Amino acid sequence: MKVRVRYFAAFREAVGMEAETIETSAETAGELFSECTGRHTGLGNFPSSLVAVNDEMAAWESSLNENDEVLFFPPVAGG
Amino acid sequence: MKSFEITGTAIDLGVFRQRLLDHSCGAYVQFEGWVRDHNEGRKVLRLEYEVYEPLAVKEGNRIIDEAIARFGVTRACAIHRSGLMELSEAAVVVGVSSPHRGEAFDACRYIIDQAKARLPIWKKEYYESGMAEWVNCQRCAHPA
């Protein structure tokens, strides 16, 4: 299936792009992130990273659907 | 009135405080987070906040609703900055008003702690050395 992936802050700088549309067989947000770390050698795996799907915070175990927009957030640092 | 906002310009603290006024309240607690000139032994010259606003606003309002429900305070609001900031500017402000002080302190602490952990906001520090780094993200990228 086809999904839209967006990268933020340190992740965007690591992959060198803001977003991409990819064809994937990943069933969950976590599987998709693993796939993306494989595609982009600069993207590190960080345990406190967060994920959102279609503008809602999501769990890494969340299942994905065709045309979902998946947002990968590096560790946050507001305040 | 929106409870949680993102702004790219200086926060007007006088106007902010007005929004929390309520005749039923005898206590007002305000927290400001300022831009500090050092972090982990390095001299910081300025900061830049990147904010994913659609979700930050949604999640920020959720945190404020949680604080009102959990602590029973009368009003709660917060504003977070985005973009470039200079030393001593207010990066974030949280205000809570309630009949008595105890729940106002607790709710204010809850809001800032949850905001730091949950909002899609990232801080880049610019150092005296000329380097710049994303805070909390030393291992987010593998060396090329």
Side-chain angles (χ1 to χ4, degrees):
Chain A
M1 67 182 167
K2 203 168 61 178
V3 295
R4 183 80 174 157
V5 178
R6 292 177 67 181
Y7 302 102
F8 292 82
F11 284 168
R12 180 187 61 246
E13 292 181 2
V15 303
M17 65 174 81
E18 288 189 7
E20 60 183 333
T21 301
I22 58 177
E23 189 67 36
T24 180
S25 57
E27 291 182 358
T28 66
E31 286 176 23
L32 181 65
F33 188 70
S34 297
E35 195 180 307
C36 291
T37 58
R39 291 164 66 92
H40 301 287
T41 51
L43 192 63
N45 202 340
F46 199 90
S48 57
S49 303
L50 299 172
V51 62
V53 178
N54 302 328
D55 274 353
E56 283 292 347
M57 298 306 297
W60 290 106
E61 302 75 36
S62 307
S63 56
L64 298 177
N65 296 298
E66 178 83 24
N67 295 323
D68 274 349
E69 186 178 62
V70 184
L71 315 178
F72 290 133
F73 297 147
V76 298
Chain B
M1 180 179 70
K2 282 193 294 178
S3 301
F4 183 89
E5 286 175 30
I6 300 293
T7 180
T9 56
I11 299 167
D12 187 328
L13 296 164
V15 170
F16 178 79
R17 184 177 174 279
Q18 291 286 324
R19 294 166 52 175
L20 281 301
L21 290 173
D22 191 297
H23 286 169
S24 71
C25 293
Y28 174 58
V29 172
Q30 179 173 302
F31 171 81
E32 291 175 35
W34 294 351
V35 179
R36 187 180 57 210
D37 71 356
H38 64 281
N39 194 26
E40 295 181 351
R42 288 198 279 185
K43 195 147 177 52
V44 175
L45 298 181
R46 64 184 64 83
L47 294 184
E48 184 175 4
Y49 282 102
E50 176 175 331
V51 179
Y52 181 57
E53 193 163 334
L55 197 41
V57 169
K58 199 185 289 184
E59 196 70 5
N61 278 307
R62 209 169 269 155
I63 290 168
I64 285 175
D65 288 347
E66 288 167 11
I68 290 170
R70 182 182 286 222
F71 301 101
V73 295
T74 307
R75 296 190 192 201
C77 293
I79 303 178
H80 201 294
R81 283 282 304 271
S82 65
L84 277 171
M85 301 197 59
E86 302 298 328
L87 297 178
S88 296
E89 279 195 273
V92 60
V93 57
V94 178
V96 178
S97 53
S98 64
H100 304 286
R101 67 186 181 282
E103 61 271 25
F105 276 112
D106 292 344
C108 189
R109 178 70 188 250
Y110 178 84
I111 291 167
I112 188 62
D113 287 352
Q114 293 294 313
K116 287 175 89 82
R118 288 164 54 182
L119 300 183
I121 297 177
W122 302 273
K123 174 161 61 180
K124 189 181 243 183
E125 290 178 336
Y126 291 81
Y127 305 106
E128 198 176 43
S129 63
M131 302 274 287
E133 268 178 29
W134 293 103
V135 173
N136 292 345
C137 213
Q138 287 73 21
R139 290 188 289 136
C140 291
H142 292 305

